[in-house]
Amino acid sequence: MNEQEQDVMSQEDAISPEAMDRRTFLKKSAAAGAAMGMMGLGMAQQQPTADQVVRGKNPKLVVLSSRPVVLESTLEVLGSERITSKANLFIRNNIDLPGLNTTEPNVQPGWVVEVGGLIDAPFRITVEELSRLPQTEVTSVLQCSGNGRSFFNPRPSGNPWTYGGVGQVTWRGVLLKTLLEARGAKLRENARFITMNASTQGGAQPYEKSFPISVMDFNSAMLALGMNGEPLPAVHGGPVRLVAAGTFGTANVKWLAKLDFTASESPGNEQVPRYRVPVLPGWNTPILPTQPGSRYNYTLDNSRSNWGANINSFILSPLAGASVRGRRVEIRGVAWNDGLAPIESVEVSVNGGTTWRKALFEGNDGKFGWYRWISPQLLAPGDYEVMARATDALGRTQPLDGNVWWNERGYEWNGVMRVKFKVT
Ligand SMILES: Nc1nc2c(c(=O)[nH]1)N[C@H]1C(S)=C(S)[C@@H](COP(=O)(O)O)O[C@H]1N2
Ligand SMILES: [Mo]
């Protein structure tokens, strides 16, 4: 491992649970500490708020790291709007591009994306040229594959995401297939992967990711120039980012500089060992169960990258610890998957999983978006724990105990959510 790689590692994977606990403790005790004079001992440093780390972000976002920037949204924030606004969308940077910690657009005339590898006619295209090609909109869920990591037991190292490493946004840009057609560039037969490189502007470390053409919905992959009806915010990858709807965040490369069609996966650090889960040989298989706490020697063959998003659902109301008026209580939330099959049901239990009732769907923003659901219940005053479980047309569903898919790096958590609340 060279120095650069080590540096990248230290920014995510090397944060031990102990170190994190200490951080959380320091954060929580900062106020009390000040009163007790602890600050004078230099033990605790005040954490900056999200809006101080990235201009334009909601200060309610949680700062998991300020360098590189990692901001987590919250269920309360996510439940407050149908499309996640730029102020409320989580951020996961492995590296910060200098000067881009803002939700303002990244205006860079002449920005070039090089497209090459296994295609007939490699080419270069500028953002201006891209903006003159036909534009398409796709609404999709963007989620870090580490979302939910802190619920794994024992807790893997890495950013301690709870539920907020996710959002739903509307992208606007040029479909990859439109771009290839416009340039008369045909894929060669042995092209099986897209390998992307982010810009290294300002001396930033490289970020290289591959994903298989066949696993995701290639027809929906785009070079995005816009988000939620505005130019793509700088911090979210502006001026141009690859968006592969239905895939986990990691492959959605921000500040895209180069896109190659390749026969195999990049062997780089971001591809292996990072962002992988153990599987039996074969591409899009479920996670291979491993002993919680055990180590796994990740290779390209015994594991797969975090590709299609696995099926999941969140309860957005009531929130944990809430007190709501009975008897009629509406449980609300969202469900989503990789978009390859519709979500068919969300079942809700208010008695610890003894009985389940199907929720009603209120609509969804396309197959890659959130399916909004609601479950009206008649509940007498008392303490409750509500659970929700989504199932899609392929029979894919969420485990009651998410820890069955414990994996060393803590990816792809989709255990059934449980929310305790009070009916008065
Ligand atoms: N260039 C670049 N692209 C990147 C990353 C990065 O660090 N650098 N992080 C990836 C990861 S792990 C995630 S989860 C998403 C997060 O996207 P967001 O920060 O726009 O929410 O971006 C992906 N694309
Ligand atoms: Mo991520």
Side-chain angles (χ1 to χ4, degrees):
M1 197 186 287
N2 65 33
E3 233 176 76
Q4 278 194 348
E5 281 169 353
Q6 227 157 20
D7 198 15
V8 171
M9 290 287 289
S10 71
Q11 290 168 350
E12 181 183 57
D13 294 326
I15 303 173
S16 68
E18 292 75 20
M20 254 319 145
D21 283 337
R22 192 171 153 269
R23 246 192 231 189
T24 315
F25 167 73
L26 288 178
K27 208 157 94 184
K28 284 197 182 127
S29 61
M36 288 159 56
M38 272 172 72
M39 300 298 273
L41 299 173
M43 278 182 67
Q45 270 187 347
Q46 195 69 51
Q47 271 262 15
T49 52
D51 54 320
Q52 290 168 337
V53 174
V54 175
R55 196 145 48 94
K57 285 291 171 182
N58 183 343
K60 283 190 175 158
L61 267 51
V62 180
V63 180
L64 295 185
S65 160
S66 47
R67 265 198 71 215
V69 177
V70 184
L71 303 183
E72 172 163 39
S73 194
T74 68
L75 291 175
E76 184 183 4
V77 165
L78 291 172
S80 70
E81 54 196 2
R82 201 178 97 185
I83 298 286
T84 312
S85 58
K86 64 180 183 181
N88 288 341
L89 186 61
F90 79 99
I91 298 173
R92 199 298 179 235
N93 276 355
N94 287 271
I95 20 145
D96 299 322
L97 251 51
L100 299 188
N101 286 339
T102 169
T103 58
E104 294 296 304
N106 182 14
V107 183
Q108 300 219 25
W111 179 284
V112 170
V113 181
E114 285 179 51
V115 183
L118 300 170
I119 51 175
D120 288 347
F123 59 92
R124 293 158 63 88
I125 188 156
T126 63
V127 272
E128 291 80 7
E129 290 168 317
L130 275 172
S131 66
R132 287 194 291 269
L133 289 172
Q135 310 285 309
T136 304
E137 284 202 338
V138 178
T139 296
S140 65
V141 176
L142 181 71
Q143 185 187 203
C144 182
S145 49
N147 201 27
R149 175 179 289 136
S150 10
F151 307 125
F152 282 114
N153 182 22
R155 191 165 83 194
S157 61
N159 289 301
W161 297 102
T162 59
Y163 288 116
V166 64
Q168 160 172 268
V169 293
T170 301
W171 309 100
R172 184 181 162 85
V174 182
L175 293 178
L176 219 43
K177 62 170 191 190
T178 307
L179 175 62
L180 294 179
E181 272 164 31
R183 291 297 174 117
K186 273 223 190 76
L187 290 195
R188 300 236 172 96
E189 249 171 42
N190 54 342
R192 286 167 68 220
F193 290 86
I194 303 179
T195 297
M196 294 156 289
N197 284 89
S199 166
T200 50
Q201 208 176 59
Q205 288 157 5
Y207 184 83
E208 179 172 296
K209 283 299 297 175
S210 304
F211 68 93
I213 294 171
S214 67
V215 159
M216 48 70 132
D217 188 336
F218 184 71
N219 288 333
S220 308
M222 64 157 67
L223 301 192
L225 304 170
M227 194 181 100
N228 299 347
E230 288 180 56
L232 192 55
V235 75
H236 292 295
V240 55
R241 160 181 212 167
L242 186 113
V243 171
T247 66
F248 277 113
T250 165
N252 294 252
V253 173
K254 305 192 267 193
W255 315 299
L256 187 68
K258 197 160 166 284
L259 190 160
D260 284 318
F261 293 90
T262 55
S264 46
E265 285 177 67
S266 151
N269 194 45
E270 309 307 324
Q271 198 69 17
V272 61
R274 299 191 67 209
Y275 298 117
R276 293 188 90 78
V277 289
V279 290
L280 293 171
W283 270 0
N284 212 8
T285 62
I287 301 175
L288 177 69
T290 51
Q291 183 62 36
S294 64
R295 310 280 305 186
Y296 196 79
N297 184 22
Y298 290 86
T299 67
L300 289 177
D301 299 320
N302 70 8
S303 61
R304 66 162 167 78
S305 191
N306 302 134
W307 286 327
N310 51 4
I311 187 164
N312 214 337
S313 64
F314 282 0
I315 298 160
L316 295 174
S317 173
L319 294 168
S323 234
V324 299
R325 254 181 193 287
R327 297 178 352 144
R328 203 185 140 85
V329 176
E330 286 183 343
I331 319 275
R332 289 173 173 275
V334 293
W336 73 99
N337 64 0
D338 55 8
L340 298 183
I343 304 279
E344 288 211 316
S345 68
V346 172
E347 291 162 288
V348 174
S349 175
V350 288
N351 53 19
T354 308
T355 60
W356 298 82
R357 186 190 299 169
K358 277 190 182 169
L360 311 167
F361 286 116
E362 290 193 302
N364 60 304
D365 295 282
K367 58 182 179 176
F368 301 111
W370 272 330
Y371 288 63
R372 297 180 300 280
W373 55 263
I374 175 167
S375 176
Q377 304 268 348
L378 286 178
L379 302 178
D383 291 324
Y384 289 88
E385 186 179 48
V386 55
M387 301 156 77
R389 175 158 73 164
T391 304
D392 71 15
L394 291 173
R396 298 179 297 183
T397 188
Q398 304 174 243
L400 290 177
D401 173 9
N403 221 42
V404 290
W405 283 334
W406 189 94
N407 59 95
E408 191 190 327
R409 287 167 180 268
Y411 292 124
E412 304 189 11
W413 171 270
N414 72 339
V416 162
M417 191 167 162
R418 292 163 178 265
V419 173
K420 289 191 168 129
F421 69 100
K422 199 184 268 302
V423 174
T424 57

